[in-house]
């Protein structure tokens, strides 16, 4: 529901992009730096709820998710990031922030 509403708001020009934030479980978070590849390679397994929601809304994730964009030109309006890699990031006022499974976050992580 949140992804569908956010996509509609971007299409109507009210916002420019969607930032989909998810929580990593503690076991995965402790070995994250040891895994091969870049940030996107390490986090791809956690994109699935967002990708499924985009498909339900009639979008092709390969076109709208910046990290999966086929052309690699940065086109697209959805970014998927874990809270681990969002620390210290400034979020533009024209960005919709969707926090997936917010109950799994500590209060300090949501600040």
């Amino acid at each position: 529901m949140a992804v569908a509403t956010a996509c509609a708001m971007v299409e109507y020009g009210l916002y420019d992009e969607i930032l989909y934030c998810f929580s990593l479980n503690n076991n995965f978070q402790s070995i994250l730096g040891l895994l091969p590849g870049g940030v996107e390679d390490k986090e791809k397994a956690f994109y699935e709820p967002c990708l499924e929601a985009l498909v339900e809304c009639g979008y092709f994730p390969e076109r709208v998710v910046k990290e999966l964009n086929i052309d690699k030109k940065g086109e697209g309006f959805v970014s998927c990031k874990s809270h681990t890699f969002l620390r210290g990031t400034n979020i533009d006022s024209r960005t919709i922030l969707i926090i997936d499974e917010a109950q799994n976050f500590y209060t300090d992580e949501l600040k």
Side-chain angles (χ1 to χ4, degrees), residues 16-17 60-79:
D16 294 332
E17 66 178 328
F60 294 102
E62 304 84 22
R63 293 185 185 159
V64 297
V65 177
K66 291 179 182 180
E67 292 83 6
L68 301 178
N69 194 291
I70 296 171
D71 300 329
K72 297 294 181 192
K73 296 179 182 175
E75 296 176 11
F77 58 88
V78 179
S79 290

Side-chain angles (χ1 to χ4, degrees), residues 79-92:
S79 290
C80 299
K81 298 279 184 201
S82 72
H83 73 288
T84 305
F85 291 105
L86 281 179
R87 288 190 179 123
T89 302
N90 293 326
I91 299 172
D92 190 332

